[in-house]
Amino acid sequence: MQSPNPISPSSIASILTALKVCSDESVYAPGYIQPYGMLLMLQEPQLTILQISENVEQFFGISAEALLGQPLQRLFSRAQVQRLAGYLAEDNLEFCNPFELETRRVAETDGQQKNQAFTGVMYRILDGLILELEPVRSLKSIDSIQSYHRMQAVIANFRNATSLTNLAQTLAREVKTMTGFDRVMIYRFLADDSGVVIAEEKQRHLESYLGLHYLAIDIAEPARKLFCRNWMRFIPDINYTPVCLIRTNHASTDTPLDLSNSVLRGVFPCHIEYLQNMGVTGSMTISLINDKGLWGLIACHHYSPKLVDYETRKACEFLGQFASIEVVHQQDRESDVYRTQVKAIQDELQQTLLQESNFIEQVLIRNTSYLLSLVHAQGAAILLDGHLTLVGQTPSATQVQELVMWLVQHKGERVFATDSVSRLYPEAEAFKDQASGILAISILFNHAKRKSYHIIWFRPEQIQTVNWAGNPQDTITINEIGEMQLSPRKSFAMWKETVRETSLAWEVAEVEAATEMRNTLMLAVLEFSQIALEQAAEQAAIANRAKSQFLAKMSHELRTPLNAILGFTQLMNRSDKIPSEFQEDLGIISRSGEYLLTLINDVLEMSKIEAGQLHLTENSFDLHQLIHSIRDMVALEALDKGIDLRTEQHSSVPRYVYGDESKLRQIILNLLSNAIKFTTTGSVTLRLQALNGRVDSISTDDSKPIITLHLEVEDTGCGIAQSDIEAVFQAFTQTESGRQAKGTGLGLSISRQFARLMGGDITARSILNQQSTFICEVLLTLVNSVDIIVPETTGAVIGLEPGQPTYRILVAEDVKENRLLLVRLLELVGFEVRAVENGKEAIALWSEWHPHLILMDIQMPVMDGYESTRQIRGMEGGKEVVIIAVTAYAFEEDYTTSIQTGCNDHITKPFIEAILFDRIAHYLGVRYRYSEEVLPGLDQQTLLHKSLSAKDLQVMSPEWMIQAHQAALDLNDTELYNLIAQIPNQEQILANDLKSLVDNFQMEAIATLTETVLSAE
């Protein structure tokens, strides 16, 4: 019955939390137990009785006071006490529980001595040992086979449940059948700690509690904590007479004995009154616990005293534990359908956003149906850096702006969800028809110019009726001095509450979907936000580090499949069975993969720079040969664009030097590639000179002189505005021409960091629309030719020299493609190879097969490479096997970790087969047979053949020329292939040359040629 002026549960929430329900101590350490058993607190190792329940005299005829300070042997035989003492050697006493003890006592009725059996359990507490004893009241034997089959059938019923409701009903039915309680309910906790009965089995004459809601205060916080610690709470008779402990306090601490783990623990008086008001006499409660805590309870009620034997209680406890697992599985299964739908929407939005992250707002507006379906909302507000867009059913623009201000000032949370915003923000009552519930994601930047990005989803008011077990306002009473206090309700008759200004609740999966959407939005915002351009260096560094960490992670994920692409390409190139028409295709795949690997390495280098992990790797090398090889690498691109590539090398440039050859190569290659990329006509010139001014003042430890290598790269390209000169060296920053050329914004930043690491720097001067010159200086040490180790010119490894042992190699790799690649490559050469998918399998196969060498991936399921390496090294014979880490983790710290874990070496994916074979030979002493084929150098005639002129294109129509020009500017290779297909058969040479340019990413050459033809017309 609805009261005239009801106080709703939400209205009294603050009152309930303000009032002290009960102290932890009054629940955990009441100082007394229930009388259906005895409790003894013992001191090890003599098992001296320090505390004991008063009812011991009822069972043994000896007063509790007389037993204090006495050994346990006073109550039980020496053999039984020694058996208990033996149990104490176990780490976990639970493995010994329960056990049976027997004693002889004089019966009160006939004075005869009779055997009395007890079921006992032991557990440790701080400074003591607890022994609880329950008399065995029935001699009936339990058929273990029958019990097993019964439990097996119950578990099968759980597994066959089609829904969470069906599972809960099955659980209630089975527990009632096993225990015989009058009523068994499955009680589920809600987000606010209140609860609802979701399943019920009862005697027919009883009123149903199914669907009734209970206040959070009905199960106080200390009690909920105990339910999380203990699976079972048993009260056979609420009208029991409490049995006090003799002594009440712990002997050594003088504090009440902690009975948190006691089955016999006395019941808090408030709970007794609560059960009495419900008419319940006996109860048993079993916890349902998931990974987040207390999910619910199995509540068993009886309307007369109900004593359940220990074995049955334990069986029910087991059912509760198993049901807890099944509840989680069932919830996951029920959410799978929704999650699948959300994943599809999420992927679509993510893909579109990341492809067009410079137009975040436009992408979201174009995909409003996806945006709303993502979290089942009726409206949304998109507020990006102050610009607001509303879609669907929403409050007004002003109301949304004020709501966002409140969210930022009072919540400031990344993800915020509520189904009743008006309870927190009273102004929201004005727009409850559009937004009683909100789900908001926010990205806030603490910057001088405060930038923020928000998406808020709205749900309208959903008027609901909630059935409460009794009137919640009856929970509060006023005492004689006018103070509010909590009191157990006298009536549990259904009380209906009409809930207004509340929307449908946001599901966990919907909040997770919003969180993922925030991550996607964050990436898009970081990619093209203006934060990196702000002058505040500290904030810019934070933004760059965040982006670098993300890109470094992504580079690892890309290296794994790229390892398979490049690896199988190398493997196919080894075969003489590949048709000649496929050789060019394999070359394209290889070049494309190597180009992608270069970009990934750029990302890793930037991550290393910003993490402060960059260092020099120096060696002696031929500087002249290095310059010649770099020029050959860029010559094709220059010829394709019709650019004159010049090299002016002063006679002072030494041939043999000592330094970081790899970083110097990357610096020069980046400067030349940039110059060619941004030059359409004219020339690109590389000038080199050695400056000896510092020879006398700087020298190495062995007195070898240091020179400054001064190099300049000059082009006749588009030039750089003076205001952008320094900006081009900043990570992720591009000029307008850089964006048009699809640059990454990393190359120059990395090159400057390399140059500074090598004791120099890179600077630039430029005239807009005329020319640019980049000047680089680095320090190198002069060496003699004898210091140079000339690599042997050999072909590919094709097999093992005869007369060697059969070498066994174990491959541990979870990615199927990479595993197959290594197996096929090694078997092709002649090794005996076996492969596994994770570290655990690697340990097992190593123990059985004893390979000479293990190629160990690091990131694997079940057990990773680090742990399996450690375990193998700890086993007998494990120190002799060679273990090489082969992983996509490419940082210096990853190499160090691999070595510290026990690996002999570390190879980064994608690996070069020559390096792999070289490491194997180094550690095993393997001798190889090599092919005699040597890869040819750059054929200038081939380059000239691939160089087209504008005249060659004049056979095509102006319309075709315009389309080809635009497709080249857009880097649209699909459209270019379609246009090339339109070239007449008699002009097949032209078609082949154009296709070669597209295959090798030479879009600039096509754009230049078509522009020249169009300009001439």
Side-chain angles (χ1 to χ4, degrees):
M1 186 86 181
Q2 179 92 25
S3 61
N5 296 297
I7 303 175
S8 71
S10 57
S11 301
I12 64 173
S14 59
I15 300 175
L16 294 179
T17 54
L19 295 174
K20 184 67 175 175
V21 183
C22 55
S23 68
D24 287 2
E25 185 177 287
S26 63
V27 174
Y28 299 160
Y32 53 87
I33 64 170
Q34 299 177 67
Y36 68 90
M38 292 174 292
L39 185 143
L40 298 84
M41 202 278 275
L42 308 173
Q43 184 181 49
E44 299 182 69
Q46 289 83 11
L47 299 184
T48 305
I49 300 171
L50 299 183
Q51 287 175 272
I52 191 167
S53 59
E54 199 173 27
N55 61 345
V56 66
E57 187 171 0
Q58 172 187 341
F59 295 100
F60 292 94
I62 306 174
S63 69
E65 289 82 357
L67 287 170
L68 290 178
Q70 298 296 312
L72 186 61
Q73 194 171 328
R74 183 77 184 275
L75 299 178
F76 298 103
S77 67
R78 177 189 296 272
Q80 292 182 100
V81 173
Q82 287 179 344
R83 175 160 55 92
L84 295 188
Y87 292 160
L88 299 179
E90 295 287 340
D91 292 332
N92 188 349
L93 290 180
E94 188 63 29
F95 294 150
C96 305
N97 294 331
F99 47 82
E100 188 171 295
L101 295 174
E102 285 191 0
T103 188
R104 295 183 65 81
R105 56 160 296 183
V106 177
E108 296 179 358
T109 55
D110 54 11
Q112 299 295 318
Q113 286 194 341
K114 295 184 178 180
N115 286 339
Q116 173 67 61
F118 296 91
T119 298
V121 295
M122 289 191 300
Y123 56 89
R124 286 191 172 89
I125 61 170
L126 186 65
D127 299 325
L129 176 73
I130 297 293
L131 170 63
E132 294 191 33
L133 299 170
E134 291 183 41
V136 177
R137 294 176 171 84
S138 173
L139 298 177
K140 66 176 182 179
S141 61
I142 299 175
D143 187 337
S144 59
I145 296 299
Q146 182 181 358
S147 176
Y148 168 78
H149 285 305
R150 173 65 181 167
M151 197 66 69
Q152 190 178 45
V154 172
I155 292 174
N157 289 337
F158 286 172
R159 290 273 172 83
N160 294 331
T162 57
S163 66
L164 185 59
T165 301
N166 181 243
L167 173 63
Q169 195 62 46
T170 301
L171 179 59
R173 182 177 63 251
E174 296 297 342
V175 172
K176 185 176 186 305
T177 301
M178 291 174 64
T179 62
F181 274 94
D182 291 334
R183 185 197 306 271
V184 176
M185 299 175 290
I186 308 301
Y187 179 89
R188 179 179 182 179
F189 287 103
L190 303 180
D192 62 356
D193 288 334
S194 67
V196 59
V197 178
I198 64 172
E200 178 186 56
E201 283 288 328
K202 64 179 184 64
Q203 299 292 355
R204 291 184 179 181
H205 66 277
L206 295 176
E207 177 187 3
S208 176
Y209 288 170
L210 184 63
L212 290 186
H213 287 245
Y214 290 78
L215 290 172
I217 206 65
D218 286 353
I219 301 177
E221 179 62 24
R224 285 199 296 272
K225 290 180 181 177
L226 277 179
F227 280 128
C228 283
R229 289 179 55 179
N230 302 321
W231 289 92
M232 173 75 68
R233 179 61 164 144
F234 179 47
I235 309 171
D237 186 356
I238 66 170
N239 299 312
Y240 72 97
T241 300
V243 177
C244 294
L245 298 179
I246 306 296
R247 307 177 176 102
T248 303
N249 287 354
H250 192 291
S252 59
T253 64
D254 196 30
T255 57
L257 184 63
D258 184 355
L259 298 178
S260 301
N261 297 320
S262 172
V263 176
L264 301 170
R265 184 181 69 253
V267 187
F268 185 64
C270 188
H271 186 57
I272 292 289
E273 187 178 351
Y274 184 89
L275 292 174
Q276 287 173 339
N277 292 345
M278 293 184 74
V280 174
T281 304
S283 79
M284 184 173 74
T285 308
I286 306 162
S287 302
L288 296 172
I289 301 173
N290 62 14
D291 55 347
K292 296 179 181 178
L294 191 60
W295 182 89
L297 300 170
I298 306 172
C300 307
H301 289 170
H302 210 67
Y303 296 92
S304 60
K306 178 71 173 176
L307 187 62
V308 180
D309 62 80
Y310 181 87
E311 289 77 9
T312 302
R313 298 201 312 263
K314 268 298 179 183
C316 291
E317 181 179 321
F318 170 76
L319 274 189
Q321 294 173 352
F322 188 83
S324 296
I325 299 172
E326 285 301 306
V327 161
V328 174
H329 290 170
Q330 188 62 45
Q331 285 180 307
D332 288 343
R333 286 193 290 268
E334 289 187 1
S335 63
D336 275 349
V337 174
Y338 169 72
R339 292 180 188 277
T340 301
Q341 294 170 348
V342 167
K343 184 68 166 58
I345 295 172
Q346 212 168 39
D347 289 346
E348 184 68 26
L349 281 174
Q350 284 180 347
Q351 184 176 1
T352 309
L353 263 179
L354 295 178
Q355 287 175 350
E356 304 179 52
S357 50
N358 202 26
F359 307 97
I360 299 173
E361 185 177 1
Q362 293 90 322
V363 169
L364 293 175
I365 293 172
R366 285 203 314 266
N367 294 275
T368 53
S369 61
Y370 282 160
L371 188 65
L372 297 178
S373 298
L374 185 69
V375 296
H376 297 150
Q378 280 69 51
I382 304 166
L383 184 60
L384 305 179
D385 197 14
H387 190 270
L388 176 64
T389 302
L390 302 176
V391 295
Q393 303 174 29
T394 70
S396 68
T398 302
Q399 289 170 330
V400 171
Q401 293 279 11
E402 292 173 349
L403 175 63
V404 171
M405 289 178 59
W406 173 79
L407 277 172
V408 173
Q409 293 173 5
H410 297 277
K411 291 301 174 182
E413 299 178 19
R414 296 179 178 182
V415 181
F416 173 75
T418 176
D419 59 0
S420 183
V421 67
S422 62
R423 293 180 189 172
L424 306 171
Y425 177 61
E427 291 83 350
E429 184 179 0
F431 49 80
K432 63 182 181 180
D433 292 338
Q434 295 82 30
S436 282
I438 65 169
L439 172 56
I441 58 174
S442 300
I443 299 172
L444 305 175
F445 294 104
N446 296 321
H447 202 273
K449 286 186 177 181
R450 193 171 182 84
K451 294 179 180 291
S452 63
Y453 303 82
H454 310 267
I455 298 178
I456 307 175
W457 289 275
F458 303 110
R459 282 180 178 171
E461 179 184 39
Q462 186 80 27
I463 299 176
Q464 304 173 64
T465 299
V466 177
N467 296 325
W468 291 94
N471 190 338
Q473 64 183 334
D474 292 342
T475 305
I476 300 174
T477 60
I478 306 297
N479 64 17
E480 60 276 4
I481 61 173
E483 293 178 337
M484 286 185 298
Q485 63 183 20
L486 293 172
S487 174
R489 297 193 297 285
K490 302 295 188 295
S491 171
F492 290 84
M494 183 186 298
W495 184 87
K496 294 187 177 182
E497 178 197 15
T498 300
V499 180
R500 298 183 182 275
E501 297 178 25
T502 301
S503 72
L504 293 177
W506 303 98
E507 298 291 338
V508 173
E510 292 166 343
V511 177
E512 290 174 352
T515 303
E516 187 62 29
M517 183 65 197
R518 182 187 181 277
N519 295 338
T520 302
L521 181 62
M522 170 70 88
L523 294 179
V525 168
L526 286 176
E527 189 66 28
F528 286 95
S529 71
Q530 295 301 309
I531 294 174
L533 300 177
E534 298 290 343
Q535 297 302 312
E538 181 180 356
Q539 294 301 323
I542 291 173
N544 284 336
R545 279 199 300 272
K547 187 174 292 186
S548 295
Q549 289 169 2
F550 163 72
L551 293 174
K553 173 63 177 174
M554 294 308 299
S555 70
H556 170 268
E557 299 303 318
L558 291 170
R559 293 177 80 95
T560 298
L562 190 57
N563 181 65
I565 294 171
L566 292 177
F568 277 103
T569 303
Q570 295 177 64
L571 198 62
M572 294 174 71
N573 274 323
R574 300 171 63 88
S575 175
D576 55 3
K577 298 180 181 179
I578 300 296
S580 58
E581 62 266 25
F582 292 157
Q583 292 291 342
E584 184 178 358
D585 296 340
L586 284 175
I588 292 171
I589 295 172
S590 182
R591 287 192 297 275
S592 301
E594 290 169 0
Y595 175 73
L596 178 57
L597 181 59
T598 300
L599 297 180
I600 295 171
N601 287 334
D602 278 353
V603 169
L604 282 176
E605 293 294 355
M606 181 53 63
S607 299
K608 291 178 184 178
I609 290 169
E610 296 186 351
Q613 298 175 335
L614 199 63
H615 61 84
L616 294 175
T617 304
E618 298 179 306
N619 61 282
S620 300
F621 62 94
D622 187 332
L623 180 57
H624 291 187
Q625 179 60 38
L626 175 66
I627 301 302
H628 180 73
S629 64
I630 292 173
R631 191 186 186 284
D632 277 355
M633 292 172 70
V634 299
L636 175 61
E637 186 178 3
L639 277 171
D640 282 341
K641 296 187 69 172
I643 297 170
D644 185 12
L645 181 62
R646 305 170 183 173
T647 303
E648 298 176 5
Q649 184 170 310
H650 193 271
S651 59
S652 62
V653 176
R655 179 167 185 177
Y656 302 113
V657 293
Y658 180 85
D660 195 321
E661 179 183 11
S662 174
K663 290 182 175 59
L664 181 59
R665 175 188 288 107
Q666 193 163 342
I667 291 171
I668 301 174
L669 187 58
N670 183 267
L671 294 178
L672 284 174
S673 296
N674 276 354
I676 294 170
K677 181 189 298 183
F678 296 109
T679 302
T680 54
T681 59
S683 63
V684 171
T685 303
L686 171 63
R687 300 188 182 93
L688 299 104
Q689 182 180 3
L691 305 179
N692 297 316
R694 303 179 67 182
V695 170
D696 296 332
S697 59
I698 302 177
S699 62
T700 57
D701 294 339
D702 56 1
S703 300
K704 291 183 179 179
I706 291 178
I707 58 101
T708 298
L709 178 66
H710 177 93
L711 63 91
E712 297 181 2
V713 175
E714 180 182 272
D715 64 62
T716 58
C718 58
I720 306 169
Q722 288 301 312
S723 59
D724 288 337
I725 289 290
E726 280 303 311
V728 298
F729 291 105
Q730 295 178 12
F732 303 105
T733 302
Q734 300 167 296
T735 62
E736 182 60 33
S737 57
R739 283 187 286 271
Q740 291 177 354
K742 306 294 182 183
T744 64
L746 284 173
L748 283 175
S749 177
I750 293 173
S751 296
R752 170 175 269 189
Q753 294 293 339
F754 284 175
R756 289 176 174 176
L757 192 65
M758 297 176 72
D761 202 354
I762 299 178
T763 57
R765 60 176 182 264
S766 182
I767 301 174
L768 190 61
N769 299 323
Q770 291 188 30
Q771 63 91 26
S772 297
T773 303
F774 284 82
I775 304 99
C776 174
E777 291 187 347
V778 296
L779 300 182
L780 298 171
T781 303
L782 293 177
V783 296
N784 299 317
S785 60
V786 294
D787 297 315
I788 304 295
I789 300 175
V790 181
E792 296 182 11
T793 303
T794 58
V797 173
I798 59 174
L800 301 177
E801 285 188 6
Q804 299 183 80
T806 300
Y807 293 102
R808 299 182 299 276
I809 297 181
L810 170 60
V811 174
E813 167 66 66
D814 65 316
V815 178
K816 179 181 178 181
E817 294 80 2
N818 290 333
R819 190 168 63 249
L820 178 61
L821 168 64
L822 283 168
V823 170
R824 290 180 58 181
L825 181 63
L826 295 170
E827 287 181 342
L828 188 65
V829 171
F831 292 108
E832 184 178 343
V833 187
R834 295 177 69 175
V836 295
E837 299 181 15
N838 58 64
K840 188 174 182 181
E841 293 178 358
I843 295 173
L845 188 54
W846 171 81
S847 302
E848 171 192 339
W849 192 46
H850 297 295
H852 298 89
L853 183 143
I854 302 175
L855 297 177
M856 183 76 74
D857 189 22
I858 296 302
Q859 182 173 301
M860 294 185 290
V862 183
M863 182 185 292
D864 64 22
Y866 290 142
E867 181 59 27
S868 59
T869 298
R870 278 191 288 266
Q871 291 197 23
I872 289 174
R873 291 302 189 205
M875 296 179 179
E876 184 178 355
K879 295 190 184 330
E880 287 74 25
V881 64
V882 177
I883 303 178
I884 299 178
V886 183
T887 173
Y889 288 113
F891 283 107
E892 179 65 24
E893 64 189 39
D894 300 312
Y895 173 83
T896 303
T897 303
S898 298
I899 301 304
Q900 291 175 345
T901 302
C903 295
N904 298 86
D905 214 325
H906 180 283
I907 298 176
T908 303
K909 298 175 185 174
F911 62 83
I912 299 172
E913 64 175 50
I915 293 178
L916 176 66
F917 287 133
D918 179 67
R919 299 289 172 84
I920 294 174
H922 173 74
Y923 289 105
L924 298 185
V926 178
R927 302 186 306 278
Y928 299 115
R929 292 186 297 110
Y930 297 93
S931 66
E932 298 180 358
E933 180 183 359
V934 179
L935 295 176
L938 187 65
D939 186 348
Q940 206 67 20
Q941 291 299 321
T942 301
L943 294 178
L944 291 174
H945 173 71
K946 290 183 177 289
S947 179
L948 292 170
S949 67
K951 183 179 179 181
D952 296 328
L953 291 178
Q954 291 177 351
V955 297
M956 304 305 294
S957 67
E959 292 78 8
W960 185 95
M961 207 73 61
I962 292 172
Q963 294 178 36
H965 181 70
Q966 188 59 48
L969 291 178
D970 294 339
L971 302 182
N972 190 337
D973 55 348
T974 302
E975 179 63 19
L976 284 171
Y977 284 130
N978 292 335
L979 290 168
I980 291 170
Q982 298 175 18
I983 297 176
N985 291 334
Q986 59 268 30
E987 300 294 339
Q988 197 58 45
I989 294 178
L990 170 63
N992 291 339
D993 287 348
L994 285 174
K995 182 175 180 298
S996 177
L997 290 177
V998 177
D999 290 343
N1000 289 279
F1001 312 105
Q1002 302 302 313
M1003 307 299 189
E1004 301 96 333
I1006 298 176
T1008 302
L1009 289 170
T1010 52
E1011 183 178 19
T1012 302
V1013 175
L1014 292 171
S1015 299
E1017 294 179 353

